[in-house]
Amino acid sequence: MSSLCAQISLGEGLITAGAQLVELDLSDNAFGPDGVRGFEALLKSSTCFTLHELKLNNCGMGVGGGKILAAALTECHRKSSAQGKPLALKVFMAGRNRLENDGATALAEAFGIIGTLEEVHMPQNGINHPGVTALAQAFAINPLLRVINLNDNTFTEKGAVAMAKTLKALRQVEVINFGDCLVRSKGAVAIADAVHGGLPKLKELNLSFGEIKRDAALSVAEAVADKVELEKLDLNGNNLGEEGCEQLQEVLDGFNMAKVLASLSDDEGEDDEDEDEDEEEEEEEEEEPQPGEQRERPTAPPRKMLDPDGGEPAPVLSSPPPADVSTFLAFPSPEKLLRLGPKSSVLIAQQTDTSDPEKVVSAFLKVSSVFKDEATVRSAVQDAVDTLMKKAFSSSSFNSNAFLTRLLIHMGLLKSEDKIKAIANLYGPLMALNHMVQQEYFPKALAPLLLAFVTKPNGALESCSFARHNLLQTLYKV
């Protein structure tokens, strides 16, 4: 019997038996990308609604298999949530699977939806900084993470800095394995900064074989000074040199932590200047494909893009409809909002069923779509957003997470199986969100999730670089 048939038969048997799986381990089976389809139906079934551990090490899934797996996990979460018991996956293992960037990014989207992960093991998967960054953003939405093992992937500085930002937001992490990940010196310094400012439960930090130089390694050592639970610090195979190794041991000895330092027997010695130049050139080459800086310089285009939108409803206004909320919500425009008068915000909130996240999202987007930098319009939009969202968030029955998820879907920042057409212009919603997240009524727990998706590469976001930049700056301060 082929591997695929065997997996299908196994899945069908478990489903028929009405099993409730807590752990599924299919490691070390070379079923490849197509083989993932063999247990796809099983993962989507109620048998896996109770799944806590999924182990798929060394299965050759590849990019295609990773995408199929991600979609199946997302569907499992959707179906289980509909029954009131969302999938609460705790342990995910998929080492040595050649997932690469696309497979890792697909899984990252699933991880961001699940949100309950405690351990993630994805070593040796050929993941570079785009995939690492996507995973970092997903990890930020999994506050219970204790173990992060991405050994033997390729972070470079970009991936390491992205992961460091996430580490600052996590409090339960005990084990970090970024060995053989080429974090380099700048990446190591960023991670050291994250360690210094948080991670109170850290027990193991592996930054071995990462082309880290002496000063950066010393920064890492200094960062663990107050980590009372630390058991192992691995900086072997880097570029410290004999003197650097001695200094590292001295620094840790000063904290009475010399015993946590792993062997430095494979130290590569100090780099010469030519190698430093090579590293800088390589990092510059990595920067070239990113057009972000060019797009962010002109801040005027987003506003110009909004002006035509603001003028589009003119034909409707040529035969003025009654100044009521229904008309505004049906065909929103700045003029209609202003014509509602000083009570516009209260009227819009009263007209909206704030117990329904989907209806709140719809109202929010219609109000924010008319945003303009003109003071009167800006103030009217912000007042309406404040009244609407304060009413919604203050209700004990309102699902804040569902609201943000649906909002991200309608903005085209989160994929959904529902056939929802994303709004074309994100400038107004981004500016309204920038105002909303600064208010007391906004649940601060939603900020990391919003940050993760606004940070992701997206053409619609890049065309509104001014508004996106403002929102990102605000979110980093929340």
Side-chain angles (χ1 to χ4, degrees), residues 365 409-412 418-424:
L365 289 175
I409 290 172
H410 281 276
M411 291 176 69
D418 300 335
K419 293 183 178 180
I420 294 175
K421 184 178 180 181
I423 58 176

Side-chain angles (χ1 to χ4, degrees), residues 44-67:
K44 292 180 178 180
S45 74
S46 59
T47 295
C48 286
F49 288 0
T50 52
L51 196 63
H52 285 172
E53 299 186 16
L54 179 59
K55 301 176 181 178
L56 300 167
N57 284 320
N58 194 31
C59 293
M61 288 190 292
V63 173
K67 290 182 176 180

